[in-house]
Every structure is written in structure tokens, then in C-alpha cells.
Amino acid sequence: QLLWAEEYLHALERGVAAAIEHERLLGSMNCGTIVDIGANRGQFALVARHCFPASTIISFEPLGGPAAAFRRIFHGDKRTVLHEAAIGVVSEMRTMHVSRCDDSSSLLPISALQTGIFPGTQEVSTLDVRVGPLEDFVSASDLMGPAMLKLDVQGFEYEALMGCESLLHCFSYVYCECSFLELYSGQKLAPVVIDWLSARGFGLTGVYNLYHDRQGRAVQADLLFGRNGKDEGGFR
């Protein structure tokens, strides 16, 4: 029945479906701030707003079309901010490989394996986009706790996390889509991301929305990390 929440209907009328697969997790949590990296049209932010009506949502989307759709949906929501940029290690312009399905676009080249498992996600163009570390856009004082760092960046997770490192201590949770197969050329796979976060005090606490291909191989999943492997008081 949550599908028919008012904010979801508002978005559906504008052609955007909320990512309701995240409701079960977010509905059990308490977050004061969500940093939403790889926001696309606001599919995740819609669920975050539904689950956390009083939270601050700080979103990042480098592609102009999806960013415009996001702004239409969240127009008038003073607690939601969108930066038209990607997060990375240094401030620069980088080439985005734009997918036919724009939510599969990446700062890494799209591999044949990606298009084989997910038909229709082939590259159709490239575009230079703004990239910078999180501290270029957000300060520690903006991150009221408990704070969640969410990343859905199509293979660029490792670099995006490194771009967040100076503010990582401000977060209680990291919620990150990770791959077990190389869907984007040069991407770091889930074990590398898990090790990197573990070395910085974040332990894996949950695996959600696991996707398998036709051969039964685990392809990707949403991984939840807690500081020191704990919930930091953020679960209801």
C-alpha cells in the first residue's frame, strides 16, 4: 500500500517510479541526513523522503536530463538539495559514458558483460560532467546525524567513496550498490569496496536486492555498512 503514498503518485504522474525495493530497509531506520550520490531522477530520494519526512536529503546527479526531472519532482521541498555533479577524488571535468537507459550511465566504460546481462544499456553518447570530492559541496555541519551515505554510481563506487573520505567520519551508515562481476571496465568489485570500508571502521551489516543472472551468478547487490559494524542507534 505504500506504493500509493502521495509523494509516489506525484512522481508517477511525472514519469518517475519510486525505488520501493529500499522501503523495507529504510523503514526500519532513523536518519537525519541522507547524502544520495547517483540520484538519477530521484527514485531513491522519493523513498528516503517518504521514510524520513523531516530529514535533509543532499543529492548528486551529473546528467542534465535526469537532474531536471529530479527538480520537477522535488520542487518546493526545502529539505532536499540537488547538485548537478558526480563525486570523485579530485575537482575536474570527466567523460560520462551515457547509456541508452540513462540510469546505467557511468564514468567508466560500459562493458559487453553489462549489456549482455542488461540489454538496452549500451553506450549511446559521451558527455563531459563536473566531478569533485564531497567536501566541495558539503561540510560536516550539514550532516546532522544519524547520517547515511548512499551510492549508486554504476561501477564508480570505489572512486566515489575515496572522494567522500574526508567526511566519512560524519556518517553512521554507507549504503552502496556493488557488483560481483565487472560490468564497467576497470571497476572495483564488491570485495575491494568491503575491504576499503572495513579499514575505515565500517563493517558489512546487510545485503539487499541481490540480483542473479540466468546462469545463477550473483551480479550485484545493495550493501549496508555500519560504523564498526553496528547500527549506531539509527534503527527504530
Side-chain angles (χ1 to χ4, degrees), residues 158 161-162 164-165 168 191-201:
Y158 186 78
L161 281 167
M162 288 195 295
C164 297
E165 187 168 12
L168 203 58
V192 176
V193 174
I194 292 168
D195 286 347
W196 190 91
L197 283 166
S198 177
R200 288 152 182 82

Side-chain angles (χ1 to χ4, degrees), residues 94-124:
R94 287 189 60 152
T95 299
M96 177 70 74
H97 301 269
V98 181
S99 168
R100 184 175 180 182
C101 296
D102 58 36
D103 58 355
S104 293
S105 302
S106 178
L107 288 166
L108 299 176
I110 300 169
S111 77
L113 183 60
Q114 161 74 18
T115 56
I117 296 175
F118 301 104
T121 60
Q122 69 271 19
E123 181 178 314
V124 293

